[in-house]
Amino acid sequence: MPQQVEASGTPSRQRPGGACEECRRRKLRCDRQHPQCGVCAAAGVACFTTTTRAPRGPKRGYLKAMQARIAALEGAVSQQQTDGDTIEPVCIEDGTDDLFTPGVEQLGWQWDFPVVDTENFFHDTSLMIPTSYGSSAGSTTTGSESAVSAPLTRPFDDVTSPETCHSLAAFEDPSGLYTTNISTLMQAELDQLYFDRVDSCMPIVHQGRYSSWARQATKTRQQMGLQYTLWTAAAAASAHYQGMGELLYYEARRLIRDPEEGMASPSTTEIEHVQAWLLLAIHELMFIDFRRGWISAGRAFRLIQLDWARYTDDLSSECAPAQWTEVEQRRRTFWMAYCLDRFMSLRSGSPPTFSEQNMIRLPAPEAAFQNDTYVLTGCLADAIASVDASQTSPFTECIVVATMAGRALSHQHLAATQPNPPRDFWDRHQLINSIMMPRMAAFSLKHPSALQEADPVLMFVSLMWRATVLFSQVTVVTEQAVSAADESGFVIAEYGRRSSLAAQEVVCIAKKLSQVNWFKIHPLMPIPLSLCSELLNSHSGLDESVGKRLPLVQEVMDDIKRFNNLGRGFYNYKV
């Protein structure tokens, strides 16, 4: 057929689309005649045209998902060969077929390893969630869909479907529990990632004891739940394993949720079970959903309260050295829950769950804990009253600032219940400041700026001190007790001076945070950062130079939100 030539002499280009399927198959030029084109008429075949076509190429994130699948399969093959077993390819009919375009379906088989969209795992506001975890209200899937995109604020359904159980629990370990198959090398690497990048901010797991029972063939379900929780946190802090993050997360939830659904209620709760819920709650606050994470934290709090006698120390006698590591691990678990409770309460305005009036000794230094070195520590009241911070660890400093934050919050709650605050309001405020200001100065003296930049816990504590000072001073100004207790205006002047100084320090810390690798940022950093941003923006008495630099705090907060969703959950706090 001769080519049509336009008036300019240039051969005309056929418009895209509209060619019949027979011409497409034979790669011939179609004249698009209806009801039958010339090629189909000459060949004597039916002529039909498809108007809608699927987009070409694999879905976004397919390459990363395939890399994760290959790594897992190589580990499975290596593990099976070590055990002397044989590996056979597994064919599946559903599950991941929707990741392939129609032109690639001739592959005929796929490995039985779930594929997730990991392109924007850390940055998107939605998370790919298996159908069993979707909302129970009107959320359905059809065909071979194995995951649906849901907003982070959508609640999860705790009922797991058989299809999801099959994909998440394809292998059975010697203890009879169905879990995902991860090679020994991958397990060791995930363990090391956790203790290298995560444990410093949440130092509640004893590495030696964990490694001892983690290598055993038979483990309790609570221990396996903690193990998968640690792997979940490690995968979230690794670009190499982020494609497996969701798989590990759902498996961890299944393992730690199942013991609570049993018919028989145990008299005591294993420490691994409490630690798993606590660590998973922090992971959910960062990457999943604020509501989901806070509910999981509440489970950990209640499990501690159920076994309160086991966490309480006998202050009149010392612990036996042989049992010290186990007791210290319980102490650290409680104090981590205590800090999370106080920090979240300060940000949301809700009353704390745990009281500072308890008989639990403070945690020992990190080196002593990991090396099983017996250390007799004091109580919380001693650490708060002491103006010498030379003997305290970063974890203890975190507990001290959490306690002072709780006192500032209680002070605000008491003021709100009294329409006309009496004289004791001002006395109580002066008492809090007489403890808080020297203690913060002692912390800054022991841990200068250079040390804070190298330790995410110290930088978090430093910013938390400034947030507590601002919160406490705002409480005074918002109450009518100021006019009754301060006729000379000294309180207002002192408030302005402290607020300006705290604002300058907050801006300096925010500038340092903007230059720090996100692996070095504390998981709970959005709490004091967002609180400082709101309190400073609501205060009109700051120096002009400080006011011009306040947008930097919000910029850092917005930057942290890209990989930490905790800042997005504070929706009910009012300054």
Side-chain angles (χ1 to χ4, degrees):
M1 181 181 297
Q3 273 190 331
Q4 297 179 355
V5 181
E6 295 180 356
S8 61
T10 304
S12 63
R13 182 181 180 88
Q14 190 177 26
R15 294 193 307 269
C20 70
E21 293 302 313
E22 179 67 14
C23 290
R24 287 180 179 275
R25 186 184 67 82
R26 299 174 60 182
K27 298 184 180 342
L28 298 177
R29 191 179 184 87
C30 182
D31 58 11
R32 305 182 189 182
Q33 296 295 325
H34 293 285
Q36 193 174 36
C37 70
V39 174
C40 293
V45 298
C47 182
F48 62 93
T49 304
T50 302
T51 57
T52 59
R53 296 185 179 278
R56 296 182 178 181
K59 285 189 175 182
R60 186 176 58 181
Y62 172 73
L63 179 58
K64 292 184 179 179
M66 285 295 296
Q67 291 174 345
R69 293 170 65 189
I70 292 172
L73 288 171
E74 288 177 346
V77 171
S78 176
Q79 183 70 21
Q80 294 287 354
Q81 289 178 347
T82 302
D83 298 339
D85 298 333
T86 58
I87 289 288
E88 295 182 359
V90 180
C91 295
I92 59 174
E93 298 177 359
D94 298 324
T96 59
D97 288 349
D98 57 337
L99 285 175
F100 296 92
T101 57
V104 191
E105 290 178 350
Q106 286 79 8
L107 290 175
W109 59 269
Q110 299 168 27
W111 289 99
D112 189 12
F113 191 86
V115 175
V116 295
D117 187 357
T118 60
E119 181 69 18
N120 295 309
F121 183 76
F122 290 100
H123 305 292
D124 276 355
T125 57
S126 62
L127 186 66
M128 298 298 293
I129 301 174
T131 55
S132 60
Y133 285 90
S135 174
S136 57
S139 177
T140 60
T141 58
T142 59
S144 59
E145 294 178 3
S146 60
V148 294
S149 178
L152 286 174
T153 55
R154 178 176 294 181
F156 292 87
D157 186 2
D158 284 343
V159 180
T160 305
S161 65
E163 293 80 11
T164 305
C165 288
H166 173 73
S167 62
L168 296 182
F171 302 94
E172 183 178 9
D173 74 342
S175 62
L177 303 178
Y178 286 90
T179 58
T180 52
N181 188 40
I182 303 177
S183 69
T184 304
L185 181 61
M186 295 173 65
Q187 294 179 23
E189 188 173 1
L190 287 171
D191 289 341
Q192 194 62 42
L193 277 171
Y194 175 82
F195 287 103
D196 286 346
R197 296 184 178 180
V198 184
D199 180 73
S200 61
C201 297
M202 297 167 282
I204 62 176
V205 179
H206 189 275
Q207 186 173 3
R209 291 200 166 206
Y210 166 79
S211 301
S212 178
W213 59 254
R215 286 193 291 262
Q216 296 178 3
T218 302
K219 296 183 285 288
T220 66
R221 187 178 292 272
Q222 289 83 355
Q223 289 175 336
M224 294 190 63
L226 176 60
Q227 187 176 46
Y228 272 83
T229 302
L230 265 59
W231 291 346
T232 301
S238 168
H240 180 70
Y241 288 104
Q242 69 177 20
M244 299 177 60
E246 280 187 289
L247 173 68
L248 296 171
Y249 165 71
Y250 293 123
E251 185 70 0
R253 278 199 63 88
R254 183 183 69 84
L255 288 168
I256 66 177
R257 187 183 65 243
D258 287 351
E260 299 179 357
E261 298 177 353
M263 297 299 295
S265 178
S267 57
T268 60
T269 304
E270 293 185 22
I271 187 64
E272 292 84 5
H273 193 49
V274 183
Q275 290 174 334
W277 272 120
L278 194 57
L279 295 175
L280 195 69
I282 296 176
H283 174 80
E284 290 172 337
L285 288 171
M286 292 180 64
F287 298 108
I288 308 299
D289 176 53
F290 178 87
R291 178 183 177 87
R292 167 59 58 178
W294 199 222
I295 291 175
S296 297
R299 293 196 181 193
F301 298 166
R302 295 309 180 194
L303 289 174
I304 292 175
Q305 291 176 326
L306 282 172
D307 288 343
W308 185 250
R310 298 180 63 201
Y311 290 86
T312 304
D313 291 317
D314 185 2
L315 301 181
S316 61
S317 61
E318 298 183 8
C319 172
Q323 301 175 353
W324 179 80
T325 303
E326 181 180 354
V327 173
E328 175 67 14
Q329 194 166 209
R330 283 201 299 267
R331 290 174 186 165
R332 287 173 167 267
T333 302
F334 165 75
W335 287 118
M336 189 69 231
Y338 175 89
C339 291
L340 179 62
D341 176 36
R342 291 295 173 111
F343 294 143
M344 295 297 292
S345 295
L346 180 69
R347 192 60 184 86
S348 64
S350 61
T353 301
F354 297 109
S355 171
E356 66 176 87
Q357 306 297 332
N358 58 70
M359 295 186 296
I360 302 177
R361 294 185 181 275
L362 291 172
E366 181 67 16
F369 171 56
Q370 295 295 347
N371 295 326
D372 299 323
T373 304
Y374 179 85
V375 175
L376 182 63
T377 55
C379 298
L380 177 60
D382 301 331
I384 293 178
S386 175
V387 294
D388 182 14
S390 60
Q391 302 299 324
T392 57
S393 64
F395 193 10
T396 300
E397 289 296 324
C398 190
I399 297 170
V400 171
V401 72
T403 303
M404 297 309 302
R407 291 186 181 183
L409 179 63
S410 299
H411 179 48
Q412 185 189 71
H413 288 172
L414 286 174
T417 59
Q418 301 169 340
N420 297 309
R423 179 69 190 183
D424 61 352
F425 170 84
W426 177 238
D427 295 337
R428 188 170 60 247
H429 177 77
Q430 286 183 320
L431 177 61
I432 292 176
N433 277 269
S434 66
I435 299 174
M436 179 169 54
M437 302 309 294
R439 196 64 181 78
M440 183 177 67
F443 168 81
S444 300
L445 183 62
K446 181 191 176 183
H447 305 288
S449 177
L451 291 179
Q452 294 177 17
E453 295 178 19
D455 191 330
V457 177
L458 294 178
M459 184 172 287
F460 169 77
V461 172
S462 179
L463 186 59
M464 199 70 216
W465 272 120
R466 277 71 186 178
T468 305
V469 170
L470 291 172
F471 186 89
S472 178
Q473 303 306 324
V474 167
T475 301
V476 174
V477 173
T478 55
E479 294 303 323
Q480 298 178 359
V482 175
S483 58
D486 181 38
E487 298 178 355
S488 62
F490 173 77
V491 174
I492 297 297
E494 182 66 13
Y495 160 72
R497 186 186 68 83
R498 291 179 178 175
S499 297
S500 296
L501 180 61
Q504 294 176 9
E505 294 170 342
V506 167
V507 172
C508 291
I509 296 175
K511 184 177 180 180
K512 295 175 184 176
L513 286 174
S514 64
Q515 302 170 355
V516 172
N517 187 293
W518 82 271
F519 287 120
K520 293 294 185 179
I521 296 180
H522 196 281
L524 303 182
M525 186 62 79
I527 295 177
L529 195 60
S530 60
L531 183 60
C532 288
S533 177
E534 292 183 8
L535 293 175
L536 292 176
N537 287 325
S538 65
H539 180 56
S540 57
L542 298 176
D543 295 340
E544 184 178 355
S545 60
V546 177
K548 291 180 179 179
R549 299 168 64 187
L550 284 182
L552 174 64
V553 180
Q554 186 60 42
E555 291 176 6
V556 175
M557 184 65 198
D558 294 339
D559 190 52
I560 292 179
K561 285 180 182 179
R562 294 191 299 107
F563 57 84
N564 189 331
N565 291 326
L566 180 56
R568 300 173 182 170
F570 304 129
Y571 50 84
N572 60 345
Y573 179 82
K574 302 296 182 183
V575 178

